[in-house]
Coordinates of all heavy atoms in Angstrom, one line a residue:
V242 N 0.8 -1.2 0.0 CA 0.0 0.0 0.0 C 0.9 1.2 0.0 O 1.0 2.0 1.0 CB -1.0 0.0 1.2 CG1 -2.0 1.1 1.1 CG2 -1.7 -1.3 1.3
R243 N 1.6 1.5 -1.1 CA 2.4 2.6 -1.3 C 2.6 2.8 -2.8 O 2.4 1.9 -3.6 CB 3.8 2.5 -0.6 CG 4.5 1.3 -1.0 CD 5.9 1.2 -0.2 NE 6.7 0.1 -0.6 CZ 6.6 -1.2 -0.1 NH1 5.8 -1.4 0.9 NH2 7.4 -2.1 -0.5
L244 N 3.1 4.0 -3.2 CA 3.3 4.3 -4.6 C 4.7 3.9 -5.1 O 4.9 3.8 -6.3 CB 3.0 5.7 -4.9 CG 1.6 6.2 -4.6 CD1 1.4 7.7 -5.0 CD2 0.6 5.3 -5.2
S245 N 5.7 3.9 -4.2 CA 7.0 3.4 -4.6 C 7.6 4.2 -5.8 O 8.0 3.6 -6.8 CB 7.1 1.9 -4.9 OG 6.8 1.2 -3.7
N246 N 7.5 5.5 -5.7 CA 8.1 6.4 -6.7 C 7.5 6.3 -8.1 O 8.2 6.4 -9.1 CB 9.6 6.2 -6.7 CG 10.4 7.4 -7.2 OD1 9.9 8.5 -7.3 ND2 11.7 7.1 -7.6
F247 N 6.2 6.0 -8.2 CA 5.6 5.8 -9.5 C 4.5 6.9 -9.7 O 3.5 7.0 -8.9 CB 4.9 4.4 -9.5 CG 4.3 4.1 -10.9 CD1 5.0 4.2 -12.1 CD2 2.9 3.7 -11.0 CE1 4.4 3.9 -13.3 CE2 2.4 3.4 -12.2 CZ 3.1 3.5 -13.3
L248 N 4.6 7.7 -10.7 CA 3.6 8.7 -11.1 C 3.2 9.5 -10.0 O 2.0 9.8 -9.8 CB 2.5 8.0 -11.8 CG 2.8 7.2 -13.1 CD1 1.5 6.5 -13.6 CD2 3.4 8.1 -14.1
L249 N 4.1 10.1 -9.2 CA 3.7 10.8 -8.0 C 3.0 12.1 -8.4 O 2.0 12.5 -7.8 CB 5.0 11.2 -7.2 CG 5.8 10.0 -6.6 CD1 7.0 10.5 -5.9 CD2 4.9 9.0 -5.8
W250 N 3.5 12.8 -9.3 CA 2.9 14.1 -9.8 C 1.5 13.8 -10.4 O 0.5 14.4 -10.1 CB 3.8 14.8 -10.8 CG 3.3 16.1 -11.4 CD1 2.3 16.2 -12.3 CD2 3.6 17.4 -10.9 NE1 2.1 17.5 -12.5 CE2 2.9 18.3 -11.7 CE3 4.6 17.9 -10.0 CZ2 3.0 19.6 -11.6 CZ3 4.7 19.2 -9.9 CH2 3.9 20.1 -10.7
Q251 N 1.5 12.8 -11.3 CA 0.3 12.5 -12.1 C -0.8 11.9 -11.2 O -2.0 12.0 -11.5 CB 0.7 11.4 -13.1 CG 1.7 11.9 -14.2 CD 3.1 11.7 -13.8 OE1 3.4 11.5 -12.6 NE2 4.0 11.8 -14.7
A252 N -0.4 11.4 -10.0 CA -1.4 10.7 -9.2 C -2.1 11.7 -8.2 O -2.9 11.3 -7.3 CB -0.8 9.6 -8.3
A253 N -1.8 13.0 -8.4 CA -2.3 14.0 -7.4 C -3.9 13.9 -7.1 O -4.3 13.9 -6.0 CB -2.0 15.4 -7.9
Y254 N -4.6 13.6 -8.2 CA -6.1 13.4 -8.0 C -6.6 12.1 -8.6 O -7.8 12.0 -8.9 CB -6.8 14.6 -8.7 CG -6.7 15.9 -7.9 CD1 -5.8 16.9 -8.4 CD2 -7.3 16.1 -6.7 CE1 -5.6 18.1 -7.6 CE2 -7.2 17.3 -6.0 CZ -6.3 18.2 -6.4 OH -6.1 19.4 -5.7
A255 N -5.7 11.2 -8.8 CA -6.1 9.9 -9.3 C -6.7 9.1 -8.2 O -6.4 9.2 -7.0 CB -4.9 9.1 -9.9
E256 N -7.6 8.2 -8.6 CA -8.2 7.2 -7.7 C -7.1 6.1 -7.6 O -6.4 5.8 -8.5 CB -9.5 6.7 -8.2 CG -10.6 7.7 -8.3 CD -11.0 8.2 -6.9 OE1 -11.1 7.4 -5.9 OE2 -11.1 9.5 -6.8
M257 N -7.1 5.4 -6.5 CA -6.1 4.3 -6.2 C -6.8 3.0 -5.8 O -7.8 3.0 -5.1 CB -5.1 4.7 -5.2 CG -4.3 6.0 -5.6 SD -3.0 6.4 -4.5 CE -2.6 8.0 -5.2
S258 N -6.2 1.9 -6.2 CA -6.7 0.6 -5.9 C -5.5 -0.3 -5.5 O -4.6 -0.4 -6.3 CB -7.5 0.0 -7.0 OG -8.0 -1.3 -6.7
F259 N -5.5 -0.8 -4.3 CA -4.4 -1.7 -3.8 C -5.0 -3.1 -3.7 O -5.9 -3.3 -2.8 CB -3.8 -1.1 -2.5 CG -3.2 0.2 -2.7 CD1 -4.0 1.4 -2.3 CD2 -1.9 0.4 -3.1 CE1 -3.4 2.6 -2.5 CE2 -1.4 1.7 -3.3 CZ -2.1 2.8 -3.0
L260 N -4.5 -4.0 -4.4 CA -5.0 -5.3 -4.5 C -4.1 -6.3 -3.9 O -2.9 -6.3 -4.1 CB -5.4 -5.7 -5.9 CG -6.3 -4.8 -6.7 CD1 -6.5 -5.3 -8.1 CD2 -7.6 -4.6 -6.0
D261 N -4.7 -7.3 -3.1 CA -3.9 -8.3 -2.5 C -3.8 -9.5 -3.4 O -4.1 -10.6 -3.1 CB -4.5 -8.8 -1.2 CG -3.6 -9.6 -0.3 OD1 -2.4 -9.6 -0.6 OD2 -4.1 -10.3 0.6
V262 N -3.3 -9.2 -4.7 CA -3.1 -10.2 -5.7 C -1.7 -10.1 -6.3 O -1.3 -9.0 -6.6 CB -4.1 -10.0 -6.9 CG1 -3.9 -11.1 -8.0 CG2 -5.5 -10.1 -6.4
L263 N -0.9 -11.2 -6.3 CA 0.4 -11.1 -6.9 C 0.3 -10.9 -8.4 O -0.6 -11.5 -9.0 CB 1.2 -12.4 -6.5 CG 1.4 -12.7 -5.0 CD1 2.1 -14.0 -4.8 CD2 2.2 -11.5 -4.4
W264 N 1.2 -10.1 -8.9 CA 1.1 -9.8 -10.3 C 0.9 -10.9 -11.3 O 0.0 -10.9 -12.2 CB 2.2 -8.9 -10.8 CG 2.1 -8.6 -12.3 CD1 2.8 -9.1 -13.3 CD2 1.1 -7.8 -12.9 NE1 2.4 -8.6 -14.5 CE2 1.3 -7.8 -14.3 CE3 0.0 -7.0 -12.4 CZ2 0.5 -7.1 -15.2 CZ3 -0.8 -6.3 -13.3 CH2 -0.5 -6.4 -14.7
P265 N 1.6 -12.0 -11.2 CA 1.4 -13.1 -12.1 C 0.0 -13.7 -12.1 O -0.4 -14.3 -13.1 CB 2.4 -14.2 -11.7 CG 3.5 -13.4 -11.1 CD 2.8 -12.3 -10.3
D266 N -0.8 -13.5 -11.0 CA -2.1 -13.9 -10.9 C -3.1 -12.9 -11.3 O -4.3 -13.2 -11.3 CB -2.4 -14.4 -9.5 CG -1.6 -15.6 -9.0 OD1 -1.3 -16.5 -10.0 OD2 -1.2 -15.7 -7.9
F267 N -2.6 -11.7 -11.7 CA -3.6 -10.6 -12.0 C -4.1 -10.9 -13.4 O -3.4 -11.1 -14.4 CB -2.8 -9.3 -12.0 CG -3.7 -8.0 -12.2 CD1 -4.3 -7.5 -11.1 CD2 -3.9 -7.5 -13.4 CE1 -5.1 -6.4 -11.2 CE2 -4.7 -6.4 -13.6 CZ -5.3 -5.8 -12.4
T268 N -5.4 -10.8 -13.6 CA -6.1 -11.1 -14.8 C -6.9 -9.9 -15.3 O -7.2 -9.0 -14.6 CB -7.1 -12.3 -14.6 OG1 -8.1 -11.8 -13.7 CG2 -6.4 -13.5 -14.0
P269 N -7.4 -10.0 -16.6 CA -8.3 -8.9 -17.1 C -9.5 -8.8 -16.2 O -10.1 -7.7 -16.1 CB -8.6 -9.4 -18.5 CG -7.4 -10.2 -18.9 CD -7.0 -10.9 -17.6
E270 N -9.9 -9.9 -15.6 CA -11.1 -9.8 -14.7 C -10.8 -8.9 -13.5 O -11.7 -8.2 -13.0 CB -11.5 -11.2 -14.2 CG -12.2 -12.0 -15.3 CD -11.2 -12.5 -16.4 OE1 -10.0 -12.7 -16.1 OE2 -11.6 -12.8 -17.6
H271 N -9.6 -9.0 -12.9 CA -9.2 -8.1 -11.8 C -9.2 -6.7 -12.3 O -9.7 -5.8 -11.5 CB -7.8 -8.5 -11.3 CG -7.7 -9.7 -10.5 ND1 -7.1 -10.9 -11.0 CD2 -8.2 -10.1 -9.3 CE1 -7.2 -11.8 -10.1 NE2 -7.9 -11.4 -9.1

């Protein structure tokens, strides 16, 4: 649950979603 130096400026008003899914298991359905 952190941004880790990714799109900090661009995320000023972005919505965020933190998922408890490891990336290899991430699907289009997620």
Side-chain angles (χ1 to χ4, degrees):
V242 188
R243 58 178 183 270
L244 298 186
S245 295
N246 205 16
F247 183 55
L248 298 180
L249 302 178
W250 180 282
Q251 296 85 344
Y254 289 103
E256 296 295 315
M257 299 186 190
S258 181
F259 298 96
L260 305 180
D261 193 19
V262 178
L263 299 176
W264 176 253
D266 293 326
F267 188 84
T268 66
E270 288 73 26
H271 287 110

